[in-house]
Amino acid sequence: MCYYLLCPIRSNVMIRAALTKFQNKWRNYRHRFVPWIALNLRRNEGSLRHVTKSIQDKPIHDEVVSETLLKLFGALLERDGADGKQSLKETRLRPKVVQTKSNDAREMHEEGRMAESDDLIFQSMGFCIHRRPSSVPLAGVGVFITKGWVPKGTVVAMYPGTVYEAYEPIFFQSLRNPFVFRCIDGVLVDGNDKGISKLVYKSCSRRDMLGPYRLSDFSWLTNPKNPLAIGQYVNNCNDSPANVCYQEYDVPRVFPLELHQYLPNVKYSHETQRPIRCIVLVSLRDISPGEELFSNYYTIVES
């Protein structure tokens, strides 16, 4: 008798727990959900951030962003060029025998590559950044400073993804997608690395190749070559002030062509004339090693 009485109670507890989990996730990303934005843009003034001019919403100058990216991308290009020459040399010297690596050997190789990447970004930026389980319950993956100190006003991450103009179709890509970022002028950046979003990004990235030059980087979909291209995993802060904020950055036309291969953004439409839009995350204060990055998810409206 007691068993049959307890079953409905347990079921109700499980249902309430599932609903609570869903509500928490929904509150965290509804401000990026395109259909919700369209229906609630003027009903939720508390979630809006009014900006009179885009330049007033920039915590640092675009020239500073360009200098940071040029420095890091230049180091990445030098590393990849050296790796390419070393691989070619090893291929020429290696006996023509098919060899297979054990799992342990592969893991050691990957760990070595990660250590090299950490050294490179630390030398270029003064810090290291990685994805790890978030310190916020039920928040999934977060982004942490794992080594070094981040001064205020520093570019700490980039928000990768396909860039859509305000009039371009993104409805189906936005369904159940917590990674759509809305810019001040209505431009949307889809940072989802799965499903339709992934297919669209890879297709557009391959389409835009200019001879031997790739004009964007799709390695962020799996294992980012550009260590900053993990900004879509920065979580919203609910109980404490944000330590980073989003800044819109249009890549200048003079940006070196050979460095475009490290830009984790691509235009949805090849015919769009404006410069490629990138989103960078800038530190609002000094950030210590071990700290998780937190931002505020806001729908932005230009006044």
Side-chain angles (χ1 to χ4, degrees), residues 84-102:
K85 293 177 182 178
Q86 183 66 23
S87 297
L88 181 61
K89 182 179 178 181
E90 290 176 354
T91 301
R92 289 172 176 171
L93 295 176
R94 187 184 304 128
K96 294 183 179 180
V97 177
V98 177
Q99 297 179 351
T100 58
K101 291 183 177 180
S102 66

PDB file of all heavy atoms in Angstrom, residues 84-102:
ATOM      1  N   GLY A  84      53.904  23.328 -40.240  1.00  0.00           N
ATOM      2  CA  GLY A  84      53.777  22.793 -41.590  1.00  0.00           C
ATOM      3  C   GLY A  84      55.109  22.355 -42.158  1.00  0.00           C
ATOM      4  O   GLY A  84      55.229  21.297 -42.774  1.00  0.00           O
ATOM      5  N   LYS A  85      56.149  23.164 -41.944  1.00  0.00           N
ATOM      6  CA  LYS A  85      57.476  22.810 -42.425  1.00  0.00           C
ATOM      7  C   LYS A  85      58.004  21.559 -41.716  1.00  0.00           C
ATOM      8  O   LYS A  85      58.604  20.691 -42.323  1.00  0.00           O
ATOM      9  CB  LYS A  85      58.433  23.983 -42.209  1.00  0.00           C
ATOM     10  CG  LYS A  85      58.122  25.201 -43.068  1.00  0.00           C
ATOM     11  CD  LYS A  85      59.061  26.348 -42.758  1.00  0.00           C
ATOM     12  CE  LYS A  85      58.720  27.578 -43.587  1.00  0.00           C
ATOM     13  NZ  LYS A  85      59.606  28.722 -43.251  1.00  0.00           N
ATOM     14  N   GLN A  86      57.748  21.475 -40.379  1.00  0.00           N
ATOM     15  CA  GLN A  86      58.206  20.314 -39.616  1.00  0.00           C
ATOM     16  C   GLN A  86      57.500  19.043 -40.075  1.00  0.00           C
ATOM     17  O   GLN A  86      58.116  17.987 -40.213  1.00  0.00           O
ATOM     18  CB  GLN A  86      57.960  20.549 -38.125  1.00  0.00           C
ATOM     19  CG  GLN A  86      58.460  19.431 -37.222  1.00  0.00           C
ATOM     20  CD  GLN A  86      59.972  19.299 -37.251  1.00  0.00           C
ATOM     21  OE1 GLN A  86      60.679  20.244 -37.584  1.00  0.00           O
ATOM     22  NE2 GLN A  86      60.472  18.114 -36.930  1.00  0.00           N
ATOM     23  N   SER A  87      56.187  19.160 -40.341  1.00  0.00           N
ATOM     24  CA  SER A  87      55.421  17.991 -40.793  1.00  0.00           C
ATOM     25  C   SER A  87      55.926  17.509 -42.150  1.00  0.00           C
ATOM     26  O   SER A  87      56.038  16.312 -42.392  1.00  0.00           O
ATOM     27  CB  SER A  87      53.936  18.338 -40.880  1.00  0.00           C
ATOM     28  OG  SER A  87      53.426  18.673 -39.607  1.00  0.00           O
ATOM     29  N   LEU A  88      56.231  18.458 -43.038  1.00  0.00           N
ATOM     30  CA  LEU A  88      56.738  18.096 -44.351  1.00  0.00           C
ATOM     31  C   LEU A  88      58.088  17.402 -44.231  1.00  0.00           C
ATOM     32  O   LEU A  88      58.348  16.396 -44.901  1.00  0.00           O
ATOM     33  CB  LEU A  88      56.854  19.347 -45.223  1.00  0.00           C
ATOM     34  CG  LEU A  88      57.350  19.146 -46.659  1.00  0.00           C
ATOM     35  CD1 LEU A  88      56.388  18.235 -47.414  1.00  0.00           C
ATOM     36  CD2 LEU A  88      57.482  20.489 -47.374  1.00  0.00           C
ATOM     37  N   LYS A  89      58.954  17.917 -43.366  1.00  0.00           N
ATOM     38  CA  LYS A  89      60.274  17.318 -43.155  1.00  0.00           C
ATOM     39  C   LYS A  89      60.138  15.902 -42.607  1.00  0.00           C
ATOM     40  O   LYS A  89      60.811  14.967 -43.062  1.00  0.00           O
ATOM     41  CB  LYS A  89      61.084  18.183 -42.191  1.00  0.00           C
ATOM     42  CG  LYS A  89      62.494  17.673 -41.926  1.00  0.00           C
ATOM     43  CD  LYS A  89      63.220  18.616 -40.991  1.00  0.00           C
ATOM     44  CE  LYS A  89      64.629  18.095 -40.683  1.00  0.00           C
ATOM     45  NZ  LYS A  89      65.341  19.008 -39.750  1.00  0.00           N
ATOM     46  N   GLU A  90      59.247  15.710 -41.612  1.00  0.00           N
ATOM     47  CA  GLU A  90      59.052  14.389 -41.024  1.00  0.00           C
ATOM     48  C   GLU A  90      58.496  13.404 -42.055  1.00  0.00           C
ATOM     49  O   GLU A  90      58.857  12.223 -42.070  1.00  0.00           O
ATOM     50  CB  GLU A  90      58.111  14.484 -39.824  1.00  0.00           C
ATOM     51  CG  GLU A  90      58.731  15.206 -38.623  1.00  0.00           C
ATOM     52  CD  GLU A  90      57.732  15.367 -37.503  1.00  0.00           C
ATOM     53  OE1 GLU A  90      56.557  15.015 -37.724  1.00  0.00           O
ATOM     54  OE2 GLU A  90      58.119  15.845 -36.432  1.00  0.00           O
ATOM     55  N   THR A  91      57.609  13.887 -42.919  1.00  0.00           N
ATOM     56  CA  THR A  91      57.026  13.020 -43.938  1.00  0.00           C
ATOM     57  C   THR A  91      58.094  12.523 -44.910  1.00  0.00           C
ATOM     58  O   THR A  91      58.098  11.367 -45.324  1.00  0.00           O
ATOM     59  CB  THR A  91      55.933  13.780 -44.708  1.00  0.00           C
ATOM     60  OG1 THR A  91      54.928  14.207 -43.792  1.00  0.00           O
ATOM     61  CG2 THR A  91      55.299  12.887 -45.768  1.00  0.00           C
ATOM     62  N   ARG A  92      59.021  13.414 -45.271  1.00  0.00           N
ATOM     63  CA  ARG A  92      60.076  13.032 -46.207  1.00  0.00           C
ATOM     64  C   ARG A  92      61.051  12.026 -45.588  1.00  0.00           C
ATOM     65  O   ARG A  92      61.570  11.145 -46.271  1.00  0.00           O
ATOM     66  CB  ARG A  92      60.842  14.279 -46.663  1.00  0.00           C
ATOM     67  CG  ARG A  92      60.021  15.173 -47.601  1.00  0.00           C
ATOM     68  CD  ARG A  92      60.751  16.475 -47.858  1.00  0.00           C
ATOM     69  NE  ARG A  92      60.018  17.304 -48.820  1.00  0.00           N
ATOM     70  CZ  ARG A  92      60.335  18.568 -49.094  1.00  0.00           C
ATOM     71  NH1 ARG A  92      61.368  19.138 -48.472  1.00  0.00           N
ATOM     72  NH2 ARG A  92      59.647  19.250 -49.974  1.00  0.00           N
ATOM     73  N   LEU A  93      61.304  12.167 -44.278  1.00  0.00           N
ATOM     74  CA  LEU A  93      62.283  11.310 -43.622  1.00  0.00           C
ATOM     75  C   LEU A  93      61.694   9.996 -43.126  1.00  0.00           C
ATOM     76  O   LEU A  93      62.415   9.034 -42.890  1.00  0.00           O
ATOM     77  CB  LEU A  93      62.917  12.052 -42.435  1.00  0.00           C
ATOM     78  CG  LEU A  93      63.752  13.293 -42.790  1.00  0.00           C
ATOM     79  CD1 LEU A  93      64.230  13.969 -41.508  1.00  0.00           C
ATOM     80  CD2 LEU A  93      64.940  12.924 -43.668  1.00  0.00           C
ATOM     81  N   ARG A  94      60.362   9.940 -42.960  1.00  0.00           N
ATOM     82  CA  ARG A  94      59.723   8.781 -42.366  1.00  0.00           C
ATOM     83  C   ARG A  94      59.707   7.605 -43.336  1.00  0.00           C
ATOM     84  O   ARG A  94      59.383   7.780 -44.526  1.00  0.00           O
ATOM     85  CB  ARG A  94      58.285   9.126 -41.968  1.00  0.00           C
ATOM     86  CG  ARG A  94      57.576   8.022 -41.181  1.00  0.00           C
ATOM     87  CD  ARG A  94      56.136   8.399 -40.917  1.00  0.00           C
ATOM     88  NE  ARG A  94      56.042   9.660 -40.233  1.00  0.00           N
ATOM     89  CZ  ARG A  94      55.276  10.679 -40.635  1.00  0.00           C
ATOM     90  NH1 ARG A  94      54.571  10.577 -41.741  1.00  0.00           N
ATOM     91  NH2 ARG A  94      55.235  11.790 -39.936  1.00  0.00           N
ATOM     92  N   PRO A  95      60.034   6.409 -42.915  1.00  0.00           N
ATOM     93  CA  PRO A  95      59.940   5.233 -43.786  1.00  0.00           C
ATOM     94  C   PRO A  95      58.497   5.021 -44.234  1.00  0.00           C
ATOM     95  O   PRO A  95      57.543   5.323 -43.506  1.00  0.00           O
ATOM     96  CB  PRO A  95      60.407   4.077 -42.892  1.00  0.00           C
ATOM     97  CG  PRO A  95      61.184   4.730 -41.801  1.00  0.00           C
ATOM     98  CD  PRO A  95      60.570   6.072 -41.587  1.00  0.00           C
ATOM     99  N   LYS A  96      58.321   4.514 -45.435  1.00  0.00           N
ATOM    100  CA  LYS A  96      56.991   4.317 -46.001  1.00  0.00           C
ATOM    101  C   LYS A  96      56.356   3.056 -45.423  1.00  0.00           C
ATOM    102  O   LYS A  96      56.176   2.042 -46.094  1.00  0.00           O
ATOM    103  CB  LYS A  96      57.067   4.237 -47.519  1.00  0.00           C
ATOM    104  CG  LYS A  96      57.501   5.549 -48.160  1.00  0.00           C
ATOM    105  CD  LYS A  96      57.483   5.459 -49.671  1.00  0.00           C
ATOM    106  CE  LYS A  96      57.890   6.791 -50.287  1.00  0.00           C
ATOM    107  NZ  LYS A  96      57.879   6.733 -51.766  1.00  0.00           N
ATOM    108  N   VAL A  97      56.049   3.131 -44.140  1.00  0.00           N
ATOM    109  CA  VAL A  97      55.413   2.018 -43.442  1.00  0.00           C
ATOM    110  C   VAL A  97      54.201   2.565 -42.714  1.00  0.00           C
ATOM    111  O   VAL A  97      54.285   3.610 -42.056  1.00  0.00           O
ATOM    112  CB  VAL A  97      56.373   1.356 -42.428  1.00  0.00           C
ATOM    113  CG1 VAL A  97      55.658   0.246 -41.674  1.00  0.00           C
ATOM    114  CG2 VAL A  97      57.602   0.817 -43.143  1.00  0.00           C
ATOM    115  N   VAL A  98      53.087   1.894 -42.869  1.00  0.00           N
ATOM    116  CA  VAL A  98      51.878   2.347 -42.188  1.00  0.00           C
ATOM    117  C   VAL A  98      52.012   2.088 -40.703  1.00  0.00           C
ATOM    118  O   VAL A  98      52.230   0.958 -40.274  1.00  0.00           O
ATOM    119  CB  VAL A  98      50.632   1.625 -42.745  1.00  0.00           C
ATOM    120  CG1 VAL A  98      49.382   2.063 -41.980  1.00  0.00           C
ATOM    121  CG2 VAL A  98      50.485   1.894 -44.239  1.00  0.00           C
ATOM    122  N   GLN A  99      51.887   3.158 -39.921  1.00  0.00           N
ATOM    123  CA  GLN A  99      52.012   3.042 -38.476  1.00  0.00           C
ATOM    124  C   GLN A  99      50.753   3.583 -37.822  1.00  0.00           C
ATOM    125  O   GLN A  99      50.164   4.549 -38.295  1.00  0.00           O
ATOM    126  CB  GLN A  99      53.235   3.814 -37.974  1.00  0.00           C
ATOM    127  CG  GLN A  99      54.555   3.277 -38.524  1.00  0.00           C
ATOM    128  CD  GLN A  99      55.729   4.095 -38.010  1.00  0.00           C
ATOM    129  OE1 GLN A  99      55.547   5.133 -37.401  1.00  0.00           O
ATOM    130  NE2 GLN A  99      56.922   3.597 -38.261  1.00  0.00           N
ATOM    131  N   THR A 100      50.359   2.991 -36.727  1.00  0.00           N
ATOM    132  CA  THR A 100      49.191   3.460 -35.985  1.00  0.00           C
ATOM    133  C   THR A 100      49.604   3.842 -34.583  1.00  0.00           C
ATOM    134  O   THR A 100      50.445   3.184 -33.962  1.00  0.00           O
ATOM    135  CB  THR A 100      48.113   2.363 -35.897  1.00  0.00           C
ATOM    136  OG1 THR A 100      48.683   1.211 -35.279  1.00  0.00           O
ATOM    137  CG2 THR A 100      47.613   1.992 -37.295  1.00  0.00           C
ATOM    138  N   LYS A 101      49.009   4.937 -34.112  1.00  0.00           N
ATOM    139  CA  LYS A 101      49.314   5.392 -32.764  1.00  0.00           C
ATOM    140  C   LYS A 101      48.347   4.772 -31.772  1.00  0.00           C
ATOM    141  O   LYS A 101      47.167   4.613 -32.050  1.00  0.00           O
ATOM    142  CB  LYS A 101      49.199   6.920 -32.685  1.00  0.00           C
ATOM    143  CG  LYS A 101      50.276   7.660 -33.455  1.00  0.00           C
ATOM    144  CD  LYS A 101      50.119   9.154 -33.240  1.00  0.00           C
ATOM    145  CE  LYS A 101      51.218   9.937 -33.925  1.00  0.00           C
ATOM    146  NZ  LYS A 101      51.068  11.396 -33.716  1.00  0.00           N
ATOM    147  N   SER A 102      48.854   4.429 -30.621  1.00  0.00           N
ATOM    148  CA  SER A 102      47.984   3.946 -29.561  1.00  0.00           C
ATOM    149  C   SER A 102      47.206   5.118 -28.982  1.00  0.00           C
ATOM    150  O   SER A 102      47.513   6.274 -29.226  1.00  0.00           O
ATOM    151  CB  SER A 102      48.824   3.284 -28.469  1.00  0.00           C
ATOM    152  OG  SER A 102      49.634   4.260 -27.831  1.00  0.00           O
TER     153      SER A 102
END
